[in-house]
Amino acid sequence: MSEGGRGGSFAELLEKIKAFPKNQLWRHNQAGDLPGEGSRIDAKMLSELVEANRGRKGFTYSHKPLTTANATLIAYANRNGFTVNVSANTLLDADKVALRHPDLPICVVVPEGTPRRTTTPAGREVRLCPAERKGSGINCANCKLCSKATRSYIIGFTVHGTSKKNYAAAVAQ
Ligand code: SF4
């Protein structure tokens, strides 16, 4: 797995992505979010990312608020091969997001001690990131769940210390 978005200009990032082989799994922005000022997603920059990613398997996460404009852009990226997981802060929040945006892949933060398989209050399936299990030998490169835009379940990450970003970074280096 490779990564994009660490340092360098946006133009350089696009060139880097275009140089990835077809079907390359890569993760956008270890520590950031989608391009755009503040809570807004920059439509032009996102479309450039989507085009650069054509034929490859880029994925990322977004905490940007799901305004109509942002949700439309995120759905567009997901439909076109660049998987953008929207982040929910609680299981209840995940239900609200899923209700309003059933087409978007969702990640959620869950309390430590949450079972590997659980459900939201409304009964939606939640699977904890398998890399959180010590000694599982699983990482983003061999798991790939976050790159699946059309999955039916929500991915959970426990609150304590180990975030999706850390797992992603661990396999990218
Ligand atoms: S290992 Fe965790 S962060 Fe990586 S793709 Fe799988 S679920 Fe997502």
Side-chain angles (χ1 to χ4, degrees), residues 59 61 129-131 138-140 143-146 155 157 164 167:
F59 69 97
Y61 308 89
C129 166
I138 296 178
N139 56 46
C140 296
C143 165
K144 304 178 185 170
L145 292 185
C146 292
I155 296 176
F157 297 94
K164 57 187 177 289
Y167 292 124

Side-chain angles (χ1 to χ4, degrees), residues 24-47:
Q24 170 78 54
L25 186 76
W26 67 278
R27 177 183 46 78
H28 172 258
N29 269 350
Q30 181 189 330
D33 207 304
L34 293 171
E37 290 291 316
S39 61
R40 190 181 62 86
I41 296 170
D42 187 307
K44 182 171 180 293
M45 291 172 87
L46 180 62
S47 73

Side-chain angles (χ1 to χ4, degrees), residues 4 50 79:
V50 167
R79 279 197 312 273

